[in-house]
Amino acid sequence: MVTNKFNRESRLLTPGHFKSVFSNPTRFSSKHFTILITKNCDNNNRLGLAIAKKRVKLAVQRNRIKRITRESFRLNQTTIPNIDIVVMVKSGIDKLENHEINHQIEKIWQKIIQRYNR
């Protein structure tokens, strides 16, 4: 049985982890997201969130976006290859409904999966 946990091992935690992704990333983007990825040596994929206060003013909105993104990652992590992911947002995302945010992030997961399953 596969468990879809989002635990400590599933997260980018240190500045060094983030730096390795920012140093040489592959970019995927949509109207409201920019996702940077790099291959990792570990046997799992990891997610980091960089939701800038400049882009999303209210903490409530930033937290909502993080929650939706983490949940989407948790549900898709078994199909996503072993990569480190940093999710960044663009202005205007705080105006979207939850299902619209979820739809955009799901489309990007599918692009990543297609790219790495070739």
Side-chain angles (χ1 to χ4, degrees):
M1 182 178 127
V2 176
T3 58
N4 290 342
K5 291 184 179 176
F6 186 72
N7 54 17
R8 196 167 174 81
E9 288 78 39
S10 303
R11 295 169 25 210
L12 295 176
L13 296 169
T14 66
H17 292 162
F18 279 88
K19 197 173 197 175
S20 69
V21 177
F22 284 120
S23 65
N24 189 17
T26 303
R27 289 176 183 268
F28 291 88
S29 60
S30 71
K31 188 171 182 188
H32 291 99
F33 283 103
T34 299
I35 294 185
L36 307 176
I37 64 171
T38 56
K39 283 199 176 262
N40 72 19
C41 312
D42 299 338
N43 219 6
N44 62 336
N45 40 33
R46 299 183 301 181
L47 176 70
L49 299 166
I51 313 296
K53 198 184 285 188
K54 181 178 180 179
R55 304 274 175 244
V56 183
K57 299 281 187 250
L58 299 176
V60 171
Q61 296 295 344
R62 287 194 302 276
N63 292 337
R64 177 178 68 100
I65 293 162
K66 289 177 187 178
R67 235 184 352 266
I68 293 166
T69 305
R70 277 193 300 262
E71 181 64 6
S72 177
F73 174 79
R74 185 184 73 79
L75 295 173
N76 288 289
Q77 68 184 352
T78 55
T79 56
I80 295 172
N82 293 338
I83 53 176
D84 288 342
I85 304 167
V86 173
V87 176
M88 299 185 303
V89 298
K90 299 176 184 175
S91 298
I93 192 167
D94 51 343
K95 307 285 186 277
L96 296 180
E97 297 286 325
N98 290 358
H99 66 88
E100 294 171 46
I101 294 171
N102 202 22
H103 180 68
Q104 279 195 19
I105 196 96
E106 291 284 336
K107 282 172 64 174
I108 295 175
W109 295 147
Q110 295 311 313
K111 281 186 199 174
I112 292 170
I113 292 163
Q114 283 178 345
R115 166 85 55 95
Y116 280 90
N117 284 342
R118 286 185 198 166

